[in-house]
Amino acid sequence: SQQGEEDPQALSIQEGENATMNCSYKTSINNLQWYRQNSGRGLVHLILIRSNEREKHSGRLRVTLDTSKKSSSLLITASRAADTASYFCATDITGANSKLTFGKGITLSVRP
Amino acid sequence: EPEVTQTPSHQVTQMGQEVILRCVPISNHLYFYWYRQILGQKVEFLVSFYNNEISEKSEIFDDQFSVERPDGSNFTLKIRSTKLEDSAMYFCASSDIGGRSPLHFGNGTRLTVT
């Protein structure tokens, strides 16, 4: 697998349901971040979780990080049609200077 | 809220021509980046820039590419001798403390090489 690989690749749910997206990575990280991208637009930062944190909340978003399994999950509760977008995880790899490495992304469709 | 701005939003060029993509990062940020995204695919790192020099670059960022911060506000990506496979969305981003903080992205420049 690649550094920052999300699954599933695509997810379709009904409005009001919860959406769970997963990310796996290969190497040691300083932090992991989730971003959202609406079609044809730039990426928007959602949440950052540091390597010494296990869970973080922001509004309807909940992120977990398991460094022993090198994985993270993003949960969006009570989804809305406006949550329809692509979601990317990105890792700040230990010793990697300054860049973030992004995964391929998950396409989330929320049906009204 | 401050934002990263990119111009132009869409650039069409012929194969072999040079293009310059422009970005104005957030004013108090110190780290600047270029990423690209070929349609529907992953977001690929090209280069990061700090303290007026390249801090890291990917294998994609070969001699065809260069970056410059010509003044206190602009950050440019130059692509020489464009190829069809350079067609992509190019995103500029900035942050205050590098990868340890969120990156703020512009809305991108869609480059089409014909």
Side-chain angles (χ1 to χ4, degrees):
Chain A
S1 67
Q2 301 182 63
Q3 181 74 6
E5 188 169 298
E6 299 96 340
D7 90 272
Q9 288 188 313
L11 182 61
S12 180
I13 59 173
Q14 199 74 36
E15 203 165 29
E17 294 180 339
N18 295 341
T20 300
M21 292 168 270
N22 303 300
C23 170
S24 60
Y25 58 92
K26 290 194 295 186
T27 60
S28 176
I29 60 171
N30 298 310
N31 69 66
L32 185 143
Q33 304 181 31
W34 285 91
Y35 287 78
R36 166 194 168 125
Q37 183 183 36
N38 283 28
S39 181
R41 308 281 287 181
L43 289 89
V44 175
H45 177 261
L46 294 176
I47 198 163
L48 181 155
I49 187 165
R50 302 192 193 286
S51 60
N52 61 353
E53 297 175 310
R54 292 296 166 258
E55 187 170 315
K56 208 159 180 184
H57 297 255
S58 175
R60 292 184 296 114
L61 305 181
R62 173 179 169 253
V63 168
T64 62
L65 179 65
D66 187 335
T67 52
S68 66
K69 294 181 180 177
K70 293 187 168 56
S71 67
S72 171
S73 67
L74 171 67
L75 169 68
I76 304 175
T77 59
S79 64
R80 305 166 182 169
D83 294 328
T84 295
S86 293
Y87 292 81
F88 294 84
C89 70
T91 49
D92 173 25
I93 299 169
T94 305
N97 215 343
S98 60
K99 73 178 185 188
L100 287 184
T101 302
F102 285 81
K104 290 183 178 179
I106 297 169
T107 302
L108 173 66
S109 298
V110 182
R111 303 185 301 274
Chain B
E1 184 174 322
E3 57 181 27
V4 175
T5 56
Q6 289 186 244
T7 55
S9 56
H10 192 182
Q11 174 88 48
V12 181
T13 190
Q14 287 192 323
M15 203 165 48
Q17 296 297 303
E18 174 181 289
V19 294
I20 297 176
L21 309 184
R22 303 180 191 280
C23 170
V24 179
I26 293 173
S27 61
N28 63 343
H29 283 181
L30 302 176
Y31 290 81
F32 313 113
Y33 305 83
W34 285 101
Y35 283 83
R36 80 174 185 189
Q37 185 180 35
I38 294 170
L39 186 63
Q41 298 187 27
K42 68 183 295 187
V43 177
E44 299 177 297
F45 170 77
L46 292 178
V47 65
S48 58
F49 193 86
Y50 170 74
N51 200 25
N52 285 320
E53 60 183 23
I54 291 173
S55 56
E56 193 169 357
K57 60 183 181 179
S58 71
E59 291 176 353
I60 302 168
F61 194 90
D62 59 18
D63 292 343
Q64 188 193 0
F65 296 86
S66 62
V67 289
E68 197 176 37
R69 189 157 161 81
D71 52 43
S73 60
N74 291 287
F75 181 51
T76 62
L77 174 69
K78 182 187 290 186
I79 309 175
R80 288 177 282 275
S81 234
T82 50
K83 299 175 276 195
L84 294 177
E85 53 265 38
D86 295 328
S87 296
M89 281 289 284
Y90 288 81
F91 292 104
C92 173
S94 68
S95 75
D96 49 3
I97 53 170
R100 285 161 176 72
S101 62
L103 268 58
H104 296 254
F105 282 82
N107 279 326
T109 294
R110 179 172 298 284
L111 177 64
T112 303
V113 182
T114 61

